[in-house]
Amino acid sequence: MASLEDFLTSPKEQPSQPLTPELEKKLATTLERLKTALADYGEGLTFANSLGAEDALLTGLIGNYLTTDNQPAIQQFVLDTGRLPEETLTLLAQVQQKWPQLDIKVFYPEAVQLQGWVTEQGVNAFYRSQELRKSCCQVRKLEPLRRALKGKTAWITGLRREQSVTREALDYSQWDAGNGLQKLSPLFDWSEAEVWAVIQALKLPYNSLHDNNYPSIGCAPCTRAVQPNADPRSGRWWWENPETRECGLHSAVELQAAKS
């Protein structure tokens, strides 16, 4: 496994611009978190890759520092809901091409269940009520998530405290009672500016929608561009109250538990 220092000084992988000492230190700390997680949980560890900016950074760390040609270090999974933007699927293909040694599994909704929901409710029923939106997320995200996490003891996410009001109490490691395993968020204390500084310096592939004011990207019909300096999550389920804008993958109650 390459060290961070070796990577940053490699002629092939020379950063496009130098990282500040503070950011290099933060990057090294995050890499150490990933290494420790791998040592602690081994094959019981998996990374939920949503193909957003934070996950682009984590994928780069795993692909460049924690993976050998013969043995993927951390298994990853992507939830393809059937409504992902084309740009997201394009990024997945780019990641698989850049790091063919990565073990990325793709999970899809259960076909019969999805067909039943669409037939009964309508293809875009999620716009009609929060209850229908959450039931769509249940079919397209939560049921595949349960399959993806089956047999695992810990999962890695790209969550950050700064992302939304539902995530302000986030810690690096929290017990995920809903799924019965540990949840690790190695970037919990990163700012959006820091994430992008590293992505750009290390020339990591990322979702092209980010260049069009999409700071947070989910399913195409439930995601839109936001105004500059707006809440990064304001483009997700924008017709709902900010305090409810979670799909169930990350419970708002769970994320705010530390406040109580």
Side-chain angles (χ1 to χ4, degrees), residues 75-88:
Q75 185 257 313
Q76 303 184 34
F77 68 87
V78 170
L79 301 180
D80 186 343
T81 64
R83 302 297 299 268
L84 295 182
E86 181 59 33
E87 292 86 348
T88 301

Side-chain angles (χ1 to χ4, degrees), residues 8 27 39 55 59 94 98 111 117-118 127 153 160 162 178 180 191 200 202 204 209 215 237 242 249 251 257:
L8 293 176
L27 195 58
D55 296 326
T59 299
Q94 291 172 339
K98 182 175 179 64
W117 188 89
V118 172
Y127 289 131
T153 53
R160 294 185 297 105
E162 190 187 73
S191 70
Q200 292 165 353
L202 302 187
L204 299 175
L209 284 174
W237 309 296
L249 295 181
S251 165

Side-chain angles (χ1 to χ4, degrees), residues 57-77:
L57 173 53
L58 291 174
T59 299
L61 291 179
I62 293 169
N64 290 327
Y65 310 135
L66 296 179
T67 308
T68 66
D69 291 336
N70 299 320
Q71 182 177 1
I74 298 176
Q75 185 257 313
Q76 303 184 34
F77 68 87

Side-chain angles (χ1 to χ4, degrees), residues 194-255:
E194 289 170 334
V195 169
W196 279 106
V198 174
I199 288 175
Q200 292 165 353
L202 302 187
K203 297 166 282 190
L204 299 175
Y206 64 87
N207 196 317
S208 62
L209 284 174
H210 289 308
D211 293 330
N212 295 302
N213 297 320
Y214 283 77
S216 178
I217 303 168
C219 292
C222 298
T223 306
R224 68 179 184 181
V226 304
Q227 295 298 316
N229 301 316
D231 178 351
R233 297 280 290 179
S234 63
R236 301 289 297 278
W237 309 296
W238 60 90
W239 61 92
E240 293 186 12
N241 187 296
E243 284 73 24
T244 67
R245 291 177 188 169
E246 294 287 352
C247 62
L249 295 181
H250 311 294
S251 165
V253 173
E254 166 200 320
L255 291 170

